[in-house]
Amino acid sequence: SMTILKYSFEEYAEMVKQFHGSEAPGVLIGGFMVALAVENMKNNILYDAISETRTCLPDAIQLLTPCTIGNGWLKIFNYGRYAVTLYDKEHNLHEGVRVFIDTQKMKDWPEISAWFFKLRPRKDQKKEKIIDEIRRAGFSILNIEQVRIQPEIALKQNKGAIAVCPECMEAYPLADGDKCLPCQNNILYR
């Protein structure tokens, strides 16, 4: 049976359920994607991660690597592509591996395809069948390529100076202007 790094599929599915709230197909496939990326990185290097979607895949990255949104090691670019990249953050080479779902390889998996391409309304999808196909398909629906990250993307973002907003009296990045963005635009709350 296939493993996702050091976890059995069942152990990983349980981790997903605890963290994500359900055995989401996207996070399950994401586990295979992250495992393939990790296994193709050079040993003992520190890496950052990029997710090309904001749905599901970032949870797989956070579950299986030290890269989180909170520590800044996971960047999300909402391109709507289901792909993860891990890249060397230590040696300024910005070299890494990108793993993505290969749409041609997915043709052999009708339940995964119907879910992924939204060919059926969610109410007509059988989650158990999708999960079973994901377990059986494993790495076979993925593809991997060597990539080099643009240097400006690899740069660590610095918040800069912090000020106190004269309107709400909360701390905010001074680079945002003379008051915080919510007070400038009345966004988020009424």
Side-chain angles (χ1 to χ4, degrees), residues 15 42 46 69 88-89 100 110 114 132 145-147 181-182:
M15 288 167 55
K42 292 185 183 91
L46 285 175
I69 296 165
D88 185 341
K89 71 190 236 151
F100 57 98
D132 181 59
E145 59 188 352
Q146 299 294 317
V147 293
L181 290 177

Side-chain angles (χ1 to χ4, degrees), residues 24 30 45 49 57 61 76 87 97-98 122 128 136 152 158 176:
I45 65 161
L57 191 52
I61 296 166
I76 298 171
Y87 64 94
V97 293
R98 180 177 181 268
R122 185 174 246 166
E128 316 75 51
R136 289 185 295 123
E152 58 275 11
N158 188 332
D176 288 349

Side-chain angles (χ1 to χ4, degrees), residues 2-164:
M2 278 187 263
T3 59
I4 296 171
L5 297 177
K6 62 184 181 213
Y7 305 102
S8 70
F9 182 81
E10 292 71 25
E11 289 169 328
Y12 178 67
E14 186 54 37
M15 288 167 55
V16 169
K17 196 172 174 182
Q18 295 301 316
F19 184 77
H20 189 82
S22 71
E23 293 171 320
V27 188
L28 294 175
I29 292 172
F32 286 108
M33 295 172 71
V34 171
L36 186 59
V38 167
E39 288 164 5
N40 281 276
M41 290 297 289
K42 292 185 183 91
N43 286 338
N44 302 320
I45 65 161
L46 285 175
Y47 53 82
D48 276 355
I50 293 173
S51 175
E52 294 183 34
T53 179
R54 62 182 166 73
T55 55
C56 290
L57 191 52
D59 284 357
I61 296 166
Q62 293 181 109
L63 275 169
L64 295 170
T65 74
C67 305
T68 69
I69 296 165
N71 69 15
W73 295 4
L74 167 57
K75 292 180 175 76
I76 298 171
F77 294 94
N78 194 25
Y79 297 145
R81 298 197 309 185
Y82 218 74
V84 58
T85 300
L86 300 182
Y87 64 94
D88 185 341
K89 71 190 236 151
E90 254 185 322
H91 303 100
N92 272 351
L93 305 170
H94 314 309
E95 290 174 349
V97 293
R98 180 177 181 268
V99 176
F100 57 98
I101 292 179
D102 189 317
T103 56
Q104 298 307 302
K105 293 178 180 178
M106 212 191 302
K107 289 177 178 165
D108 297 333
W109 303 97
E111 296 299 326
I112 298 173
S113 293
W115 162 78
F116 188 77
F117 290 111
K118 299 182 181 338
L119 303 177
R120 255 184 245 140
R122 185 174 246 166
K123 65 176 175 51
D124 297 337
Q125 296 175 11
K126 301 278 184 273
K127 194 169 182 185
E128 316 75 51
K129 285 184 175 181
I130 299 167
I131 291 171
D132 181 59
E133 271 196 11
I134 291 168
R135 184 184 52 73
R136 289 185 295 123
F139 300 100
S140 73
I141 57 173
L142 306 178
N143 211 330
I144 186 166
E145 59 188 352
Q146 299 294 317
V147 293
R148 185 175 286 235
I149 305 301
Q150 298 285 5
E152 58 275 11
I153 289 174
L155 282 177
K156 192 84 170 158
Q157 296 297 323
N158 188 332
K159 261 200 272 190
I162 303 296
V164 174

Side-chain angles (χ1 to χ4, degrees), residues 157-166 168-180:
Q157 296 297 323
N158 188 332
K159 261 200 272 190
I162 303 296
V164 174
C165 176
C168 68
M169 302 307 288
E170 291 189 45
Y172 76 100
L174 187 57
D176 288 349
D178 59 355
K179 53 186 172 180
C180 72

